[in-house]
Amino acid sequence: MKVIILAAGYATRLYPLTLNQPKPLLPVAGKPMVEHVLDNLAPMGGIDRVYVVTNAKFAGHFEKWSEGYAAKAKLSFTTVNDGSTDDSNKLGAIGDIHYVLKTQNVDDDIIVVAGDNLFDTPLTDFGRFCREKNAPALAVYDVGNLEEIKKYNSISVDEAGKITFFEEKPKNPTSTLTGIALYYYPKHTLPLIKQYIADGNNPDQPGRLIQWLYPRTPVYTWRVPGLWYDIGSKETLEEANKIFAKAA
């Protein structure tokens, strides 16, 4: 199994913190965000390579970081530079997934995760769930608030946990369940990602791929245990520092 970490954004809302440092390498409770992500993913087992897809500005930062972290975590890393230099020429999250698949000749099951997605619980059961289903899977979290959900996406599922409705940034949401940037795509579905891009669909938010995919093939959901934190502003970064420092 391969892991693709999405880390090609410029996080302009966090300036000046992210002017010379990529958001996933900002510290939360004493360690870079991306280490929180990987420390919780690694217990799934079976990960034989981690691809960090980033931009031309920050590729060197991730190469340097991964050299130190790889030995400690016993994981193999490849930093993939997507060639973008700012928001005007970025490939978008789905564009980046496709870029990794194409340039690294990936032909394996993949886990895709955002480098700034914070969890406080090991994701061992996510790995088990994905292997069992052998179908695309999306991690979901109950934000508990219909107003809050408007920033994310709204999802409905059937009794088997299969997606029956998905909408990015809904104006009138009916559910507080949201899909987060943690996905599983088994090897046999990789051609669909290539098709999505080839058909000229929006390559940006990774949820758009799920929105396109679920009417074509079953997509299952898995509820994230414990705490999930999405860091988009200085305020949420400060909050995360407090919360994760307590949990440490």
Side-chain angles (χ1 to χ4, degrees):
M1 187 188 289
K2 309 290 188 282
V3 171
I4 297 176
I5 294 182
L6 301 174
Y10 293 90
T12 52
R13 282 189 296 162
L14 280 165
Y15 275 9
L17 295 175
T18 47
L19 259 173
N20 301 302
Q21 179 82 317
K23 179 163 66 158
L25 292 184
L26 292 178
V28 168
K31 67 181 179 184
M33 283 182 214
V34 69
E35 290 189 18
H36 287 274
V37 176
L38 285 164
D39 286 352
N40 284 313
L41 268 183
M44 291 186 346
I47 298 168
D48 50 23
R49 182 153 297 272
V50 177
Y51 296 99
V52 181
V53 59
T54 185
N55 50 55
K57 184 178 179 181
F58 291 133
H61 293 68
F62 282 105
E63 276 165 10
K64 190 177 173 190
W65 160 77
S66 65
E67 278 167 21
Y69 179 72
K72 184 173 70 172
K74 297 184 174 58
L75 290 168
S76 302
F77 283 85
T78 300
T79 299
V80 181
N81 178 353
D82 73 0
S84 77
T85 52
D86 57 40
D87 277 337
S88 69
N89 58 15
K90 66 181 184 181
L91 303 189
I94 308 168
D96 276 326
I97 296 166
H98 180 252
Y99 186 79
V100 172
L101 296 180
K102 190 175 67 175
T103 61
Q104 306 302 309
N105 300 313
V106 176
D107 187 28
D108 197 355
D109 302 340
I110 60 168
I111 297 270
V112 177
V113 64
D116 58 356
N117 246 358
L118 294 186
F119 309 94
D120 71 345
T121 307
L123 299 168
T124 320
D125 286 343
F126 182 61
R128 200 175 292 130
F129 178 84
C130 294
R131 290 179 183 105
E132 201 179 279
K133 294 292 180 195
N134 194 30
L138 167 66
V140 295
Y141 189 80
D142 193 335
V143 298
N145 180 323
L146 284 175
E147 204 48 47
E148 191 74 4
I149 208 94
K150 291 179 183 178
K151 292 193 296 192
Y152 302 113
N153 50 58
S154 186
I155 289 177
S156 300
V157 299
D158 65 13
E159 287 159 13
K162 211 161 56 184
I163 296 177
T164 55
F165 176 79
F166 184 106
E167 185 185 8
E168 275 290 351
K169 296 191 169 46
K171 287 188 172 62
N172 302 298
T174 55
S175 157
T176 57
L177 205 59
T178 193
I180 67 169
L182 174 61
Y183 312 88
Y184 170 71
Y185 295 105
K187 177 180 166 177
H188 65 84
T189 60
L190 299 189
L192 287 166
I193 300 175
K194 292 170 186 169
Q195 186 192 331
Y196 177 92
I197 293 291
D199 289 352
N201 291 293
N202 188 324
D204 208 357
Q205 296 101 332
R208 291 180 186 276
L209 179 57
I210 296 290
Q211 193 168 351
W212 177 87
L213 201 59
Y214 86 86
R216 291 168 169 80
T217 189
V219 178
Y220 289 89
T221 55
W222 180 80
R223 286 200 184 222
V224 174
L227 190 68
W228 164 74
Y229 219 81
D230 175 43
I231 294 173
S233 66
K234 287 173 195 164
E235 292 73 29
T236 50
L237 179 59
E238 278 169 29
E239 227 174 285
N241 261 305
K242 287 177 198 157
I243 291 166
F244 282 84
K246 274 183 208 159

